[in-house]
Amino acid sequence: MMIKGEDISVLGGGIGGLAVAVALALRGASVRVLEQAPVLSEIGAGLQVSPNGVAVLDALGLGDEARALAVHGRAVCLRDGTSGRQVMRLDLARWAPDQTYLYFHRADLVSLLEKAARAAGVMFELGRRIDQVTETSAGYRLSSAGGHSDNVGLLIGADGLHSRLRPVLNGAETPFFTGQTAWRALVPAQGNEPAEAVVHMGKRRHMVSYPLRGGKLINIVAVAERQQWSAEGWNLAGDPLALRQCFDAFRGPAQALLAQVEEVSYWGLFRHPVAASWYGNNAALVGDAAHPTLPFLAQGANMALEDAWVLADCLERYEREEALPRYQQMRRTRVVRVIEAANSNAQNYHLSGPKKLAAHAALRLGGALAPRHVLSRFDWIYRHDVTRG
Ligand SMILES: Cc1cc2nc3c(=O)[nH]c(=O)nc-3n(C[C@H](O)[C@H](O)[C@H](O)COP(=O)(O)OP(=O)(O)OC[C@H]3O[C@@H](n4cnc5c(N)ncnc54)[C@H](O)[C@@H]3O)c2cc1C
């Protein structure tokens, strides 16, 4: 019990920050979360939590509540967006009945983790934006605009893409535009949509849809390639008309969903390379702060959950000098592989011409003749359970 009673500060109250706070508090640490937002949980839309992320929720004792809050995914369906026709449907309920895929509203998952954190004794400083992190002889100084600063011992940076801790551990870096933009929207469901994630594929663009909140809402993530992103912002209020225009070649279910969009947010997808160093003398990074990923495998939040568990476990088992390098060693190779797989998914979804015809034919065949084999190609992601040690 290396961390029993130890004061630990977590910078950022997103999925990764809250999960690590719960995991540490359950192990007896005295944890404080500093979060810039005045209230947690309001931001975002859908998040898919795959079995590897569900394993962490289970280990945190949140599995039953999580299952009650989320829609249970039964299948993954790939469609040709421009014809609307189905290319492949993988029946998860049939071919992977032991696996749980959950579709959450991000606010519901954040609320669940926040409630668990408070119940475990985690303290929150909401509305506390940290503008600078400086290393001191005893730990770190966290400074906010207006002169408010305090010194902390062990610091966990779970503060996302623009992490204040990451440059302290890795030097200054500027995130780069990936050439992809994403829209996110929620539309009312008709009520008869199956509990499945659908990828509508098209030339240099794709769209993912799945139901949320008891099947009352459909979450839409639409991604299109774009040469440049102006510097004015990362996250803009989007224009539903521009979204429909970008996807005007899409037909069938995708077109019907897009017709319903009234409000949409719009992102440029930016990334850093995976951080070279995930830890310092008395600090560690989790989630997007260490390794922002493109959303094409729906693994960003799942990787943050896995990081959270492994970091807490290492801190509990080993002395600090050993715990932090072990954490990075156990996580970095896997995370790099997941990110590379997400990057290639983007290319596979955005094909056109003969490449598309060949790829769709192969998918049709694989889905019809060997669905179990097709699914097993992703076992290394979904059947990986970090909570088994
Ligand atoms: C379009 C899209 C769809 C996605 N879909 C999925 C999906 O289906 N499944 C999945 O697993 N992942 C998905 N992701 C990725 C996922 O959202 C992120 O990878 C995940 O939320 C990362 O969690 P995090 O805790 O590391 O960072 P974040 O969720 O970004 O949390 C960081 C927190 O730190 C706070 N913070 C930041 N800076 C400061 C500061 N200076 N001071 C104080 N607080 C600060 C922020 O307010 C925030 O609360 C998607 C991403 C996108 C863009």
Side-chain angles (χ1 to χ4, degrees):
M1 284 294 186
M2 303 290 177
I3 50 169
K4 204 162 173 56
E6 171 146 8
D7 287 330
I8 303 179
S9 299
V10 177
L11 178 53
I15 307 292
L18 292 171
V20 79
V22 178
L24 290 166
L26 290 177
R27 288 166 168 81
S30 169
V31 186
R32 180 176 64 138
V33 173
L34 301 114
E35 164 58 46
Q36 64 188 358
V39 253
L40 290 175
S41 91
E42 288 182 345
I43 315 154
L47 271 184
Q48 299 181 59
V49 178
S50 48
N52 51 314
V54 175
V56 176
L57 296 176
D58 280 336
L60 293 174
L62 302 174
D64 290 346
E65 273 185 88
R67 283 171 177 77
L69 279 170
V71 169
H72 292 236
R74 303 282 172 209
V76 178
C77 182
L78 302 184
R79 284 183 180 277
D80 180 342
T82 43
S83 68
R85 278 201 293 273
Q86 183 172 302
V87 176
M88 178 174 77
R89 183 173 180 280
L90 292 170
D91 189 336
L92 299 170
R94 178 165 179 204
W95 300 111
D98 58 325
Q99 303 274 282
T100 306
Y101 292 82
L102 299 177
Y103 308 152
F104 280 99
H105 194 295
R106 185 179 184 274
D108 297 340
L109 182 56
V110 166
S111 293
L112 175 67
L113 289 165
E114 181 189 6
K115 204 172 77 178
R118 289 189 188 278
V122 173
M123 305 298 291
F124 283 85
E125 272 186 49
L126 298 179
R128 176 84 195 275
R129 182 181 164 76
I130 302 301
D131 293 300
Q132 201 180 3
V133 176
T134 332
E135 193 162 5
T136 64
S137 53
Y140 294 88
R141 177 174 302 117
L142 307 180
S143 313
S144 304
H148 185 178
S149 76
D150 48 351
N151 294 318
V152 300
L154 180 54
L155 175 65
I156 297 176
D159 48 342
L161 178 70
H162 304 290
S163 172
R164 300 289 165 170
L165 178 60
R166 178 178 164 131
V168 177
L169 305 180
N170 289 274
E173 291 162 309
T174 312
F176 59 89
F177 178 53
T178 60
Q180 319 265 358
T181 55
W183 289 265
R184 269 181 147 180
L186 293 171
V187 298
Q190 305 300 310
N192 54 357
E193 292 86 350
E196 57 189 38
V198 185
V199 184
H200 314 262
M201 304 176 288
K203 182 179 176 183
R204 300 177 59 203
R205 67 211 67 209
H206 78 276
M207 184 176 124
V208 178
S209 58
Y210 52 87
L212 296 180
R213 289 204 165 145
K216 293 193 182 70
L217 292 172
I218 303 292
N219 184 65
I220 296 175
V221 177
V223 174
E225 294 173 22
R226 184 174 147 173
Q227 294 293 316
Q228 283 177 330
W229 182 259
S230 53
E232 74 267 23
W234 312 83
N235 179 1
L236 305 174
D239 175 0
L241 198 62
L243 167 63
R244 280 190 277 276
Q245 275 168 356
C246 183
F247 285 79
D248 63 354
F250 276 32
R251 298 286 173 265
Q255 189 182 39
L257 287 169
L258 290 169
Q260 291 191 73
V261 174
E262 288 181 359
E263 262 180 46
V264 66
S265 47
Y266 188 38
W267 270 271
L269 296 179
F270 282 76
R271 281 183 46 210
H272 294 286
V274 174
S277 183
W278 294 26
Y279 66 93
N281 288 334
N282 220 3
L285 298 168
V286 297
D288 280 9
H291 49 74
T293 171
L294 291 174
F296 307 142
L297 256 180
Q299 283 299 304
N302 288 291
M303 288 301 110
L305 288 169
E306 288 189 4
D307 288 351
W309 179 270
V310 176
L311 177 58
D313 200 40
C314 286
L315 286 169
E316 183 185 37
R317 283 170 193 252
Y318 307 107
E319 297 288 352
R320 187 71 36 86
E321 316 73 70
E322 191 180 350
L324 297 175
R326 264 186 191 263
Y327 161 62
Q328 170 162 341
Q329 191 189 4
M330 290 172 72
R331 295 297 302 147
R332 198 171 185 281
T333 308
R334 171 168 169 78
V335 165
V336 167
R337 193 172 167 208
V338 167
I339 287 175
E340 282 168 2
N343 292 347
S344 20
N345 252 8
Q347 287 154 25
N348 297 338
Y349 292 159
H350 291 187
L351 299 173
S352 57
K355 278 191 185 161
K356 172 184 123 173
L357 292 177
H360 286 198
L363 285 169
R364 261 190 205 98
L365 207 63
L369 299 181
R372 202 195 293 266
H373 173 72
V374 175
L375 276 176
S376 70
R377 286 175 42 225
F378 297 98
D379 280 355
W380 66 275
I381 302 177
Y382 302 133
R383 289 191 184 271
H384 187 82
D385 181 350
V386 291
T387 70
R388 290 209 192 130

